[in-house]
Amino acid sequence: MKLMRIGDAGLERSVVRVDDDTYVDTADLEALFFTAPQEFRQAVEARIAAGQVRPFAGERVGAPIPRPHQILCIGLNYRDHAAETGQAVPAEPILFTKPPNTLIGPYDRVRQPRGSTKLDWEVELGIVIGRRASYLDDHDAAREAIAGYLASNDISERAFQMERGGQWSKGKSAETFNPAGPWLVTPDEIADVNALGLWLDVNGVRRQTGSTATMVFDPYEIVRYLSQFLVLEPGDLINTGTPPGVGMGFDPPVWLRPGDVMELGIDGLGSQRQTVVAAR
């Protein structure tokens, strides 16, 4: 299934995408997706069988999950990205966080924060947690804790991140810094999460091309590992790192400016498009 949330910001309703043109309204079922996923699926299938589908009518597409309890992020998780930044491949996952209020829809505008001089992009595979989980024993247990996957853009301000005390969250936490979606795709629709292509263009120029095959720590290991240090809650979002081609990796570096357009996507998870706008 492909779950979406459509409507004006703050007023989105849950739907399940049937195809490019139609959806099933699941606003009354949204809580079941995490508490009783099989019941949710059966209800959606019954509505499709009964012809209870509606046409998309140009509604805004929001992030496919409501504001999560937490957004967790893994740094330097692609071998080729670590190489372009001149940093060593980490022995254990590097963890930082983003505030949940950074989450926006896949086509919403990205706002450059005040004082920003080094605004950057990062296409990433996002994991959405499906049940409360801690101290998971192995990859099988981690797999069972995953509700689905989505495309994510981990927007970064590198001067804030690298030059203001070395605390990564400073450069990751401004408003609009986490476009997500357009869909949350359930794991049964993904043949191999460790072989997904990722890409990102800026102003029509390809900047990032990668594959989850070059991850240092795969999605199951990330979930298992994080569960040893904190309690994962349903709806939590984990950004799993980015492939090479970020702005700071070029010589000279390439930074985003107001008016720039990012387009990005992941195999099977849809694509996004954001325009950068100036600071408030």
Side-chain angles (χ1 to χ4, degrees):
M1 289 189 297
K2 294 182 173 69
L3 281 75
M4 304 176 66
R5 300 180 81 244
I6 59 175
D8 293 341
L11 298 173
E12 300 94 341
R13 69 183 189 277
S14 169
V15 305
V16 169
R17 178 183 181 272
V18 177
D19 53 35
D20 288 346
D21 301 315
T22 60
Y23 67 87
V24 172
D25 195 308
T26 55
D28 59 326
L29 303 174
E30 185 171 19
L32 290 179
F33 179 71
F34 293 110
T35 60
Q38 189 58 34
E39 183 178 343
F40 178 88
R41 181 180 293 273
Q42 291 171 351
V44 170
E45 291 172 350
R47 291 181 181 185
I48 293 173
Q52 296 176 7
V53 298
R54 302 179 183 181
F56 288 108
E59 299 95 338
R60 170 185 170 271
V61 178
I65 55 173
R67 183 177 293 184
H69 163 256
Q70 57 188 344
I71 299 177
L72 305 167
C73 305
I74 306 300
L76 296 177
N77 194 37
Y78 284 72
R79 294 177 182 86
D80 35 11
H81 173 54
E84 77 171 341
T85 64
Q87 300 181 71
V89 172
E92 296 189 39
I94 295 172
L95 173 64
F96 62 93
T97 63
K98 302 183 80 146
N101 65 6
T102 58
L103 193 68
I104 60 171
Y107 314 117
D108 291 344
R109 299 182 301 176
V110 167
R111 186 172 296 280
Q112 185 173 26
R114 294 182 185 180
S116 167
T117 57
K118 298 180 179 180
L119 192 64
D120 207 347
W121 57 82
E122 293 189 7
V123 58
E124 305 202 6
L125 173 70
I127 300 169
V128 177
I129 297 299
R131 64 174 177 83
R132 201 167 197 263
S134 61
Y135 301 114
L136 296 170
D137 291 330
D138 52 31
H139 286 193
D140 287 339
R143 185 181 290 106
E144 292 300 316
I146 295 173
Y149 301 94
L150 52 75
S152 188
N153 191 357
D154 178 22
I155 303 295
S156 307
E157 212 304 327
R158 303 300 188 186
F160 294 178
Q161 178 186 358
M162 304 295 189
E163 301 167 19
R164 300 293 298 274
Q167 299 172 27
W168 284 20
S169 290
K170 287 181 182 176
K172 302 283 189 171
S173 299
E175 60 178 334
T176 75
F177 265 29
N178 204 136
W183 317 308
L184 166 63
V185 179
T186 52
D188 59 293
E189 291 212 18
I190 300 174
D192 186 357
V193 74
N194 291 315
L196 298 178
L198 305 87
W199 59 273
L200 182 145
D201 297 345
V202 179
N203 299 329
V205 177
R206 182 58 48 92
R207 293 300 189 182
Q208 288 189 274
T209 302
S211 170
T212 56
T214 68
M215 279 184 167
V216 181
F217 307 102
D218 72 20
Y220 309 127
E221 174 57 16
I222 289 170
V223 172
R224 186 209 66 79
Y225 180 88
L226 292 179
S227 78
Q228 310 307 308
F229 301 95
L230 49 86
V231 177
L232 299 167
E233 297 284 358
D236 282 353
L237 174 61
I238 304 171
N239 292 326
T240 60
T242 196
V246 298
M248 75 174 189
F250 289 92
D251 185 14
V254 178
W255 307 120
L256 293 167
R257 296 287 183 263
D260 286 346
V261 175
M262 294 172 284
E263 296 178 275
L264 59 138
I266 301 177
D267 292 348
L269 303 184
S271 60
Q272 305 181 4
R273 186 180 191 274
Q274 299 106 32
T275 299
V276 179
V277 297
R280 292 183 185 276

